[in-house]
Amino acid sequence: MNSLVSICIPTFNGSKFLEEALVSIESQTYKNYEVVISDDASTDETLKIVQDFKEKVNFPVYIYHHKPKGIGANWNNCIRKANGKFIKFLFQDDVLLPSCIEEQLAVLSSYNNIGEPPTVFFRKSVVKEIGYFREDLHQILDYEFYYRLLRSYNIAIINKRLVNFRLHQLQATNINRNKPIKDYE
């Protein structure tokens, strides 16, 4: 299978870890991909890091400026701008291991994978049927999206580490802990 994969990176002030995330894309064993970056008006060095990366690589990197409207809106903007048949999220503070896309694509011949968004790999076409991420949710938008996905599609789980997921104080989950979020109601 040689289908185009869109590696979607929603960014906002991600300069601390972004370069490492971008380097992990270059090391992928599967090579038919584009990188779609949707930036929510970063004020740090995020856009400089992305522009430097774009200038040194030989695969398509698209940078879109997005008016901040929440996490879900930024995720959805990435999907809307993606040209690939498959969507692979990579968050600015996470890292793909070298065979991640190749192995997920091999399994995806008939299934989808569910997990933390950077671990998920799905056909872009499912969005036409089940819709985009809900933009009114702030913390559980991925769970709600996967619930809708599971109602229509089977999933596969690859029991192998393919992504490094960071836990840190600036992570959206930690920031949202101190906010009055009513997603669970």
Short mmCIF file of all heavy atoms in Angstrom, two decimals, residues 76 79-80 122-135 141 144-146 148-149 152-153:
data_model
loop_
_atom_site.label_atom_id
_atom_site.label_comp_id
_atom_site.label_asym_id
_atom_site.label_seq_id
_atom_site.Cartn_x
_atom_site.Cartn_y
_atom_site.Cartn_z
N ASN A 76 -9.52 19.69 14.10
CA ASN A 76 -10.37 19.62 12.91
C ASN A 76 -9.77 20.39 11.74
O ASN A 76 -9.89 19.96 10.58
CB ASN A 76 -11.77 20.13 13.22
CG ASN A 76 -12.55 19.18 14.09
OD1 ASN A 76 -12.26 17.98 14.16
ND2 ASN A 76 -13.54 19.71 14.79
N ILE A 79 -7.39 18.17 9.97
CA ILE A 79 -8.06 17.17 9.14
C ILE A 79 -8.60 17.81 7.87
O ILE A 79 -8.46 17.26 6.77
CB ILE A 79 -9.20 16.47 9.92
CG1 ILE A 79 -8.65 15.67 11.09
CG2 ILE A 79 -10.00 15.56 8.99
CD1 ILE A 79 -9.71 15.14 12.05
N ARG A 80 -9.20 18.99 8.00
CA ARG A 80 -9.76 19.67 6.83
C ARG A 80 -8.68 20.00 5.80
O ARG A 80 -8.94 19.96 4.59
CB ARG A 80 -10.46 20.96 7.25
CG ARG A 80 -11.80 20.72 7.90
CD ARG A 80 -12.51 22.03 8.23
NE ARG A 80 -13.73 21.75 8.95
CZ ARG A 80 -13.89 21.90 10.27
NH1 ARG A 80 -12.89 22.36 11.01
NH2 ARG A 80 -15.03 21.60 10.84
N PHE A 122 -6.36 6.67 11.29
CA PHE A 122 -7.66 6.35 10.71
C PHE A 122 -7.80 6.92 9.32
O PHE A 122 -7.05 7.82 8.91
CB PHE A 122 -8.80 6.86 11.61
CG PHE A 122 -8.83 8.35 11.85
CD1 PHE A 122 -9.56 9.19 11.03
CD2 PHE A 122 -8.15 8.89 12.93
CE1 PHE A 122 -9.59 10.55 11.27
CE2 PHE A 122 -8.18 10.26 13.17
CZ PHE A 122 -8.91 11.09 12.33
N ARG A 123 -8.76 6.36 8.58
CA ARG A 123 -9.05 6.86 7.24
C ARG A 123 -9.74 8.21 7.35
O ARG A 123 -10.67 8.37 8.13
CB ARG A 123 -9.96 5.89 6.50
CG ARG A 123 -9.31 4.60 6.10
CD ARG A 123 -10.31 3.68 5.38
NE ARG A 123 -9.67 2.43 5.03
CZ ARG A 123 -9.56 1.40 5.87
NH1 ARG A 123 -10.08 1.46 7.07
NH2 ARG A 123 -8.96 0.30 5.48
N LYS A 124 -9.30 9.15 6.55
CA LYS A 124 -9.93 10.47 6.56
C LYS A 124 -11.41 10.36 6.19
O LYS A 124 -12.25 11.12 6.67
CB LYS A 124 -9.20 11.40 5.60
CG LYS A 124 -9.74 12.81 5.61
CD LYS A 124 -8.96 13.74 4.70
CE LYS A 124 -9.55 15.14 4.71
NZ LYS A 124 -8.83 16.03 3.82
N SER A 125 -11.75 9.40 5.36
CA SER A 125 -13.13 9.25 4.90
C SER A 125 -14.12 8.98 6.03
O SER A 125 -15.31 9.25 5.87
CB SER A 125 -13.22 8.14 3.85
OG SER A 125 -12.80 6.90 4.41
N VAL A 126 -13.66 8.46 7.19
CA VAL A 126 -14.61 8.20 8.28
C VAL A 126 -15.21 9.49 8.81
O VAL A 126 -16.34 9.50 9.31
CB VAL A 126 -14.00 7.38 9.45
CG1 VAL A 126 -13.44 6.06 8.98
CG2 VAL A 126 -12.98 8.16 10.23
N VAL A 127 -14.50 10.60 8.66
CA VAL A 127 -14.99 11.89 9.14
C VAL A 127 -16.24 12.30 8.39
O VAL A 127 -17.14 12.92 8.95
CB VAL A 127 -13.88 12.96 9.05
CG1 VAL A 127 -14.40 14.33 9.44
CG2 VAL A 127 -12.70 12.58 9.92
N LYS A 128 -16.33 11.93 7.12
CA LYS A 128 -17.54 12.25 6.35
C LYS A 128 -18.76 11.56 6.94
O LYS A 128 -19.86 12.09 6.89
CB LYS A 128 -17.36 11.84 4.89
CG LYS A 128 -16.39 12.71 4.14
CD LYS A 128 -16.25 12.27 2.70
CE LYS A 128 -15.21 13.13 2.00
NZ LYS A 128 -14.93 12.65 0.67
N GLU A 129 -18.57 10.38 7.49
CA GLU A 129 -19.69 9.63 8.05
C GLU A 129 -19.99 10.00 9.50
O GLU A 129 -21.15 10.21 9.86
CB GLU A 129 -19.42 8.13 7.96
CG GLU A 129 -20.56 7.29 8.48
CD GLU A 129 -20.29 5.81 8.38
OE1 GLU A 129 -19.47 5.41 7.53
OE2 GLU A 129 -20.89 5.06 9.16
N ILE A 130 -18.96 10.08 10.34
CA ILE A 130 -19.21 10.28 11.77
C ILE A 130 -19.04 11.73 12.22
O ILE A 130 -19.42 12.07 13.33
CB ILE A 130 -18.33 9.36 12.63
CG1 ILE A 130 -16.86 9.76 12.54
CG2 ILE A 130 -18.54 7.90 12.27
CD1 ILE A 130 -15.98 9.09 13.58
N GLY A 131 -18.46 12.59 11.38
CA GLY A 131 -18.25 13.98 11.73
C GLY A 131 -16.88 14.23 12.33
O GLY A 131 -16.12 13.30 12.60
N TYR A 132 -16.58 15.50 12.55
CA TYR A 132 -15.31 15.94 13.11
C TYR A 132 -15.33 15.85 14.64
O TYR A 132 -16.34 15.50 15.24
CB TYR A 132 -15.03 17.39 12.68
CG TYR A 132 -14.64 17.53 11.23
CD1 TYR A 132 -15.61 17.77 10.25
CD2 TYR A 132 -13.32 17.43 10.84
CE1 TYR A 132 -15.25 17.90 8.91
CE2 TYR A 132 -12.96 17.57 9.51
CZ TYR A 132 -13.93 17.80 8.55
OH TYR A 132 -13.57 17.93 7.24
N PHE A 133 -14.22 16.21 15.26
CA PHE A 133 -14.16 16.31 16.71
C PHE A 133 -15.10 17.42 17.16
O PHE A 133 -15.20 18.46 16.51
CB PHE A 133 -12.72 16.65 17.18
CG PHE A 133 -11.75 15.53 17.01
CD1 PHE A 133 -10.95 15.46 15.88
CD2 PHE A 133 -11.62 14.54 17.98
CE1 PHE A 133 -10.03 14.43 15.72
CE2 PHE A 133 -10.72 13.52 17.83
CZ PHE A 133 -9.92 13.46 16.69
N ARG A 134 -15.78 17.20 18.27
CA ARG A 134 -16.69 18.21 18.80
C ARG A 134 -15.89 19.37 19.38
O ARG A 134 -15.09 19.18 20.29
CB ARG A 134 -17.60 17.61 19.86
CG ARG A 134 -18.72 16.82 19.24
CD ARG A 134 -19.75 16.37 20.21
NE ARG A 134 -20.11 17.36 21.22
CZ ARG A 134 -20.76 17.05 22.33
NH1 ARG A 134 -21.12 15.80 22.59
NH2 ARG A 134 -21.06 17.99 23.20
N GLU A 135 -16.14 20.56 18.89
CA GLU A 135 -15.37 21.72 19.30
C GLU A 135 -15.87 22.36 20.58
O GLU A 135 -15.21 23.21 21.15
CB GLU A 135 -15.33 22.73 18.15
CG GLU A 135 -14.61 22.16 16.94
CD GLU A 135 -14.54 23.08 15.74
OE1 GLU A 135 -14.84 24.29 15.88
OE2 GLU A 135 -14.17 22.59 14.66
N LEU A 141 -12.91 15.26 24.04
CA LEU A 141 -13.32 15.26 22.65
C LEU A 141 -12.84 14.04 21.90
O LEU A 141 -13.53 13.55 21.00
CB LEU A 141 -12.89 16.54 21.95
CG LEU A 141 -11.40 16.87 21.89
CD1 LEU A 141 -11.14 17.80 20.72
CD2 LEU A 141 -10.99 17.55 23.17
N GLU A 144 -15.19 11.03 22.85
CA GLU A 144 -16.49 11.16 22.21
C GLU A 144 -16.38 10.83 20.72
O GLU A 144 -17.23 10.15 20.16
CB GLU A 144 -17.03 12.59 22.44
CG GLU A 144 -18.48 12.78 22.05
CD GLU A 144 -18.70 13.00 20.57
OE1 GLU A 144 -17.77 13.52 19.90
OE2 GLU A 144 -19.79 12.65 20.07
N PHE A 145 -15.31 11.28 20.07
CA PHE A 145 -15.08 10.98 18.66
C PHE A 145 -14.93 9.47 18.46
O PHE A 145 -15.51 8.88 17.56
CB PHE A 145 -13.83 11.72 18.19
CG PHE A 145 -13.45 11.46 16.75
CD1 PHE A 145 -14.04 12.18 15.73
CD2 PHE A 145 -12.47 10.53 16.43
CE1 PHE A 145 -13.68 11.96 14.40
CE2 PHE A 145 -12.10 10.30 15.11
CZ PHE A 145 -12.72 11.03 14.09
N TYR A 146 -14.14 8.83 19.34
CA TYR A 146 -13.93 7.39 19.21
C TYR A 146 -15.20 6.61 19.49
O TYR A 146 -15.43 5.55 18.89
CB TYR A 146 -12.81 6.91 20.15
CG TYR A 146 -11.49 7.60 19.93
CD1 TYR A 146 -10.62 7.83 20.98
CD2 TYR A 146 -11.11 8.05 18.67
CE1 TYR A 146 -9.41 8.47 20.79
CE2 TYR A 146 -9.91 8.70 18.48
CZ TYR A 146 -9.06 8.91 19.53
OH TYR A 146 -7.87 9.54 19.35
N ARG A 148 -18.20 7.54 18.64
CA ARG A 148 -18.93 7.57 17.37
C ARG A 148 -18.28 6.66 16.34
O ARG A 148 -18.95 5.98 15.57
CB ARG A 148 -19.01 9.01 16.84
CG ARG A 148 -19.98 9.88 17.62
CD ARG A 148 -20.13 11.26 17.03
NE ARG A 148 -19.01 12.11 17.42
CZ ARG A 148 -18.25 12.81 16.60
NH1 ARG A 148 -18.47 12.80 15.30
NH2 ARG A 148 -17.25 13.54 17.05
N LEU A 149 -16.95 6.62 16.33
CA LEU A 149 -16.22 5.77 15.41
C LEU A 149 -16.53 4.29 15.67
O LEU A 149 -16.80 3.53 14.75
CB LEU A 149 -14.71 6.03 15.55
CG LEU A 149 -13.81 5.25 14.62
CD1 LEU A 149 -13.77 5.92 13.25
CD2 LEU A 149 -12.41 5.18 15.19
N SER A 152 -19.60 2.51 14.29
CA SER A 152 -19.66 2.19 12.86
C SER A 152 -18.52 1.32 12.34
O SER A 152 -18.62 0.76 11.27
CB SER A 152 -19.68 3.50 12.05
OG SER A 152 -20.78 4.29 12.39
N TYR A 153 -17.42 1.26 13.10
CA TYR A 153 -16.23 0.58 12.59
C TYR A 153 -15.63 -0.34 13.63
O TYR A 153 -15.73 -0.09 14.83
CB TYR A 153 -15.15 1.61 12.17
CG TYR A 153 -15.56 2.46 11.00
CD1 TYR A 153 -16.18 3.69 11.19
CD2 TYR A 153 -15.35 2.01 9.70
CE1 TYR A 153 -16.57 4.47 10.12
CE2 TYR A 153 -15.74 2.79 8.62
CZ TYR A 153 -16.35 4.01 8.84
OH TYR A 153 -16.74 4.77 7.77
#
